[in-house]
Short mmCIF file of all heavy atoms in Angstrom, two decimals:
data_model
loop_
_atom_site.label_atom_id
_atom_site.label_comp_id
_atom_site.label_asym_id
_atom_site.label_seq_id
_atom_site.Cartn_x
_atom_site.Cartn_y
_atom_site.Cartn_z
N ALA X 1079 108.78 64.14 134.23
CA ALA X 1079 108.72 62.65 133.72
C ALA X 1079 109.19 61.76 134.91
O ALA X 1079 109.85 62.23 135.80
CB ALA X 1079 109.66 62.53 132.55
N SER X 1080 108.88 60.47 134.82
CA SER X 1080 109.30 59.52 135.69
C SER X 1080 110.33 58.74 135.10
O SER X 1080 110.45 58.59 133.78
CB SER X 1080 108.18 58.67 136.18
OG SER X 1080 107.44 58.13 135.10
N LYS X 1081 111.23 58.03 135.84
CA LYS X 1081 112.28 57.25 135.30
C LYS X 1081 112.03 55.85 135.21
O LYS X 1081 111.76 55.12 136.28
CB LYS X 1081 113.56 57.45 136.14
CG LYS X 1081 114.02 58.94 136.03
CD LYS X 1081 115.38 59.01 136.77
CE LYS X 1081 115.76 60.45 136.98
NZ LYS X 1081 115.19 61.48 136.18
N VAL X 1082 111.84 55.20 133.99
CA VAL X 1082 111.62 53.77 133.88
C VAL X 1082 112.59 53.31 132.78
O VAL X 1082 112.81 53.97 131.80
CB VAL X 1082 110.19 53.45 133.46
CG1 VAL X 1082 109.97 52.06 133.06
CG2 VAL X 1082 109.26 53.89 134.56
N GLU X 1083 113.05 52.14 132.99
CA GLU X 1083 114.08 51.62 131.92
C GLU X 1083 113.21 51.19 130.69
O GLU X 1083 112.16 50.54 130.87
CB GLU X 1083 114.83 50.39 132.39
CG GLU X 1083 115.74 50.76 133.55
CD GLU X 1083 116.60 51.89 133.17
OE1 GLU X 1083 117.23 51.86 132.07
OE2 GLU X 1083 116.74 52.85 133.97
N PRO X 1084 113.70 51.41 129.42
CA PRO X 1084 112.97 50.94 128.34
C PRO X 1084 112.90 49.40 128.19
O PRO X 1084 113.85 48.81 128.57
CB PRO X 1084 113.76 51.68 127.07
CG PRO X 1084 114.95 52.09 127.68
CD PRO X 1084 114.93 52.16 129.16
N GLN X 1085 111.72 48.98 127.83
CA GLN X 1085 111.54 47.46 127.83
C GLN X 1085 110.86 47.06 126.44
O GLN X 1085 110.38 47.98 125.72
CB GLN X 1085 110.61 47.11 128.93
CG GLN X 1085 111.36 46.97 130.26
CD GLN X 1085 110.33 46.84 131.34
OE1 GLN X 1085 109.10 47.15 131.18
NE2 GLN X 1085 110.82 46.45 132.46
N GLU X 1086 110.68 45.77 126.37
CA GLU X 1086 109.88 45.33 125.15
C GLU X 1086 108.43 45.71 125.43
O GLU X 1086 107.90 45.45 126.58
CB GLU X 1086 110.02 43.84 125.12
CG GLU X 1086 109.58 43.22 123.76
CD GLU X 1086 110.38 43.80 122.61
OE1 GLU X 1086 111.64 43.66 122.55
OE2 GLU X 1086 109.72 44.39 121.77
N SER X 1087 107.73 46.30 124.53
CA SER X 1087 106.37 46.75 124.82
C SER X 1087 105.43 45.80 124.15
O SER X 1087 105.66 45.20 123.00
CB SER X 1087 106.18 48.16 124.38
OG SER X 1087 105.89 48.24 123.08
N PRO X 1088 104.22 45.63 124.62
CA PRO X 1088 103.25 44.72 124.16
C PRO X 1088 102.63 44.85 122.80
O PRO X 1088 102.70 44.09 121.92
CB PRO X 1088 102.19 44.64 125.33
CG PRO X 1088 102.30 45.92 125.90
CD PRO X 1088 103.72 46.42 125.78
N ALA X 1089 101.86 46.02 122.61
CA ALA X 1089 101.04 46.17 121.50
C ALA X 1089 101.69 46.57 120.20
O ALA X 1089 101.53 47.61 119.66
CB ALA X 1089 99.90 47.25 121.89
N VAL X 1090 102.52 45.68 119.64
CA VAL X 1090 103.34 46.06 118.45
C VAL X 1090 103.55 44.78 117.70
O VAL X 1090 103.66 43.66 118.20
CB VAL X 1090 104.69 46.73 118.79
CG1 VAL X 1090 105.63 45.75 119.12
CG2 VAL X 1090 104.98 47.66 117.74
N ALA X 1091 103.56 44.88 116.29
CA ALA X 1091 103.76 43.74 115.39
C ALA X 1091 105.26 43.39 115.45
O ALA X 1091 106.09 44.25 115.64
CB ALA X 1091 103.44 44.11 114.00
N ALA X 1092 105.47 42.14 115.35
CA ALA X 1092 106.91 41.66 115.78
C ALA X 1092 107.92 42.15 114.78
O ALA X 1092 109.06 42.45 115.20
CB ALA X 1092 106.90 40.08 115.76
N ASP X 1093 107.66 42.39 113.46
CA ASP X 1093 108.70 42.73 112.58
C ASP X 1093 108.97 44.14 112.50
O ASP X 1093 109.92 44.66 111.92
CB ASP X 1093 108.35 42.15 111.07
CG ASP X 1093 107.04 42.57 110.75
OD1 ASP X 1093 106.26 43.05 111.63
OD2 ASP X 1093 106.76 42.61 109.56
N ASN X 1094 108.07 45.02 113.13
CA ASN X 1094 108.27 46.48 113.05
C ASN X 1094 108.63 46.97 114.44
O ASN X 1094 107.71 47.00 115.35
CB ASN X 1094 107.11 47.14 112.65
CG ASN X 1094 106.96 47.12 111.11
OD1 ASN X 1094 107.94 47.02 110.46
ND2 ASN X 1094 105.80 47.16 110.55
N ALA X 1095 109.85 47.42 114.74
CA ALA X 1095 110.13 48.00 116.03
C ALA X 1095 109.50 49.31 116.29
O ALA X 1095 109.34 50.10 115.23
CB ALA X 1095 111.62 48.26 116.16
N PRO X 1096 109.02 49.62 117.40
CA PRO X 1096 108.18 50.92 117.58
C PRO X 1096 109.20 52.15 117.52
O PRO X 1096 110.25 52.08 118.04
CB PRO X 1096 107.66 50.79 118.95
CG PRO X 1096 108.58 49.81 119.71
CD PRO X 1096 109.12 48.86 118.70
N VAL X 1097 108.76 53.08 116.72
CA VAL X 1097 109.45 54.34 116.72
C VAL X 1097 109.10 55.18 117.89
O VAL X 1097 109.90 55.77 118.57
CB VAL X 1097 109.09 55.14 115.41
CG1 VAL X 1097 109.61 56.57 115.35
CG2 VAL X 1097 109.56 54.35 114.15
N LEU X 1098 107.81 55.24 118.16
CA LEU X 1098 107.25 56.06 119.20
C LEU X 1098 106.39 55.18 120.17
O LEU X 1098 105.66 54.32 119.62
CB LEU X 1098 106.38 57.14 118.47
CG LEU X 1098 106.18 58.44 119.11
CD1 LEU X 1098 107.55 59.11 119.31
CD2 LEU X 1098 105.42 59.34 118.06
N GLU X 1099 106.46 55.44 121.36
CA GLU X 1099 105.70 54.59 122.29
C GLU X 1099 105.11 55.43 123.47
O GLU X 1099 105.93 56.24 123.94
CB GLU X 1099 106.64 53.48 122.76
CG GLU X 1099 105.83 52.40 123.58
CD GLU X 1099 106.78 51.39 124.07
OE1 GLU X 1099 107.97 51.32 123.51
OE2 GLU X 1099 106.54 50.59 124.95
N ALA X 1100 104.01 55.22 123.84
CA ALA X 1100 103.42 55.75 124.96
C ALA X 1100 103.26 54.62 125.99
O ALA X 1100 102.89 53.53 125.75
CB ALA X 1100 102.03 56.34 124.74
N ARG X 1101 103.91 54.94 127.25
CA ARG X 1101 103.83 53.89 128.23
C ARG X 1101 103.30 54.42 129.51
O ARG X 1101 103.77 55.29 130.10
CB ARG X 1101 105.30 53.44 128.48
CG ARG X 1101 105.42 52.04 128.88
CD ARG X 1101 106.91 51.64 129.02
NE ARG X 1101 107.40 51.13 127.74
CZ ARG X 1101 108.62 50.63 127.65
NH1 ARG X 1101 109.36 50.49 128.73
NH2 ARG X 1101 109.02 50.08 126.54
N ASN X 1102 102.15 53.77 129.79
CA ASN X 1102 101.45 54.22 131.10
C ASN X 1102 101.24 55.74 131.09
O ASN X 1102 101.44 56.35 132.15
CB ASN X 1102 102.13 53.73 132.38
CG ASN X 1102 102.18 52.27 132.30
OD1 ASN X 1102 103.34 51.65 132.09
ND2 ASN X 1102 101.07 51.52 132.40
N LEU X 1103 100.93 56.38 130.03
CA LEU X 1103 100.85 57.84 129.88
C LEU X 1103 99.63 58.36 130.52
O LEU X 1103 98.49 57.94 130.10
CB LEU X 1103 101.05 58.23 128.47
CG LEU X 1103 101.17 59.72 128.19
CD1 LEU X 1103 102.36 60.29 128.95
CD2 LEU X 1103 101.18 59.97 126.68
N THR X 1104 99.74 59.28 131.45
CA THR X 1104 98.62 59.93 132.09
C THR X 1104 98.98 61.54 131.85
O THR X 1104 100.06 61.97 132.23
CB THR X 1104 98.34 59.64 133.55
OG1 THR X 1104 98.21 58.30 133.66
CG2 THR X 1104 97.29 60.44 134.14
N ILE X 1105 98.05 62.24 131.36
CA ILE X 1105 98.29 63.62 131.10
C ILE X 1105 97.14 64.44 131.80
O ILE X 1105 95.94 64.24 131.72
CB ILE X 1105 98.25 64.11 129.67
CG1 ILE X 1105 99.24 63.18 128.90
CG2 ILE X 1105 98.66 65.53 129.49
CD1 ILE X 1105 99.17 63.38 127.45
N ARG X 1106 97.49 65.39 132.72
CA ARG X 1106 96.52 66.13 133.49
C ARG X 1106 96.55 67.60 133.15
O ARG X 1106 97.66 68.20 133.16
CB ARG X 1106 96.73 65.95 135.04
CG ARG X 1106 96.18 64.67 135.58
CD ARG X 1106 96.34 64.56 137.06
NE ARG X 1106 96.62 63.15 137.40
CZ ARG X 1106 97.96 62.74 137.60
NH1 ARG X 1106 98.98 63.54 137.45
NH2 ARG X 1106 98.08 61.47 137.82
N TYR X 1107 95.39 68.27 133.08
CA TYR X 1107 95.35 69.64 133.06
C TYR X 1107 94.84 69.98 134.53
O TYR X 1107 93.67 69.79 134.90
CB TYR X 1107 94.26 70.19 132.18
CG TYR X 1107 94.60 70.07 130.70
CD1 TYR X 1107 93.99 69.12 129.86
CD2 TYR X 1107 95.60 70.79 130.05
CE1 TYR X 1107 94.19 68.93 128.49
CE2 TYR X 1107 95.83 70.66 128.74
CZ TYR X 1107 95.27 69.72 128.04
OH TYR X 1107 95.47 69.49 126.71
N GLY X 1108 95.76 70.56 135.29
CA GLY X 1108 95.29 70.83 136.72
C GLY X 1108 94.97 69.51 137.46
O GLY X 1108 95.77 68.62 137.52
N ASN X 1109 93.73 69.34 137.77
CA ASN X 1109 93.36 68.15 138.51
C ASN X 1109 92.66 67.16 137.55
O ASN X 1109 92.37 66.08 137.96
CB ASN X 1109 92.41 68.46 139.70
CG ASN X 1109 93.23 69.19 140.83
OD1 ASN X 1109 94.38 68.91 141.01
ND2 ASN X 1109 92.58 70.03 141.54
N ASN X 1110 92.25 67.68 136.36
CA ASN X 1110 91.56 66.75 135.46
C ASN X 1110 92.49 65.90 134.61
O ASN X 1110 93.34 66.56 133.92
CB ASN X 1110 90.66 67.54 134.64
CG ASN X 1110 89.63 68.37 135.41
OD1 ASN X 1110 89.27 67.95 136.43
ND2 ASN X 1110 89.30 69.45 134.87
N ALA X 1111 92.33 64.60 134.55
CA ALA X 1111 93.15 63.79 133.72
C ALA X 1111 92.52 63.68 132.41
O ALA X 1111 91.33 63.26 132.17
CB ALA X 1111 93.22 62.37 134.27
N ALA X 1112 93.24 64.22 131.36
CA ALA X 1112 92.68 64.21 129.96
C ALA X 1112 93.03 62.83 129.28
O ALA X 1112 92.35 62.38 128.41
CB ALA X 1112 93.29 65.38 129.15
N ILE X 1113 94.15 62.29 129.67
CA ILE X 1113 94.58 60.95 129.22
C ILE X 1113 94.99 60.10 130.37
O ILE X 1113 95.68 60.55 131.26
CB ILE X 1113 95.81 61.16 128.28
CG1 ILE X 1113 95.51 61.89 127.01
CG2 ILE X 1113 96.49 59.86 127.98
CD1 ILE X 1113 94.67 61.10 126.05
N LYS X 1114 94.37 58.93 130.40
CA LYS X 1114 94.56 58.07 131.57
C LYS X 1114 95.12 56.75 131.18
O LYS X 1114 94.72 55.92 130.56
CB LYS X 1114 93.16 57.67 132.18
CG LYS X 1114 92.45 59.09 132.58
CD LYS X 1114 90.93 58.71 132.98
CE LYS X 1114 90.17 60.01 133.23
NZ LYS X 1114 88.89 59.98 132.81
N ASP X 1115 96.47 56.65 131.69
CA ASP X 1115 97.20 55.38 131.63
C ASP X 1115 97.12 54.71 130.22
O ASP X 1115 96.58 53.58 130.11
CB ASP X 1115 96.56 54.38 132.65
CG ASP X 1115 97.57 53.20 132.95
OD1 ASP X 1115 98.82 53.50 132.79
OD2 ASP X 1115 97.17 52.22 133.50
N VAL X 1116 97.52 55.38 129.23
CA VAL X 1116 97.44 54.91 127.96
C VAL X 1116 98.85 54.37 127.51
O VAL X 1116 99.89 54.93 127.73
CB VAL X 1116 97.14 56.12 126.88
CG1 VAL X 1116 97.43 55.76 125.44
CG2 VAL X 1116 95.74 56.57 127.12
N SER X 1117 98.78 53.20 126.98
CA SER X 1117 100.00 52.55 126.45
C SER X 1117 99.79 52.00 125.12
O SER X 1117 98.83 51.19 124.85
CB SER X 1117 100.46 51.35 127.35
OG SER X 1117 100.64 51.88 128.66
#
Side-chain angles (χ1 to χ4, degrees):
Chain X
S1080 51
K1081 294 189 192 337
V1082 171
E1083 295 308 310
Q1085 287 166 339
E1086 197 58 61
S1087 83
V1090 83
D1093 53 338
N1094 280 332
V1097 169
L1098 211 51
E1099 190 185 341
R1101 208 176 271 187
N1102 303 109
L1103 184 60
T1104 300
I1105 306 174
R1106 276 184 219 96
Y1107 291 109
N1109 288 328
N1110 302 327
I1113 292 289
K1114 302 172 188 140
D1115 199 23
V1116 166
S1117 301

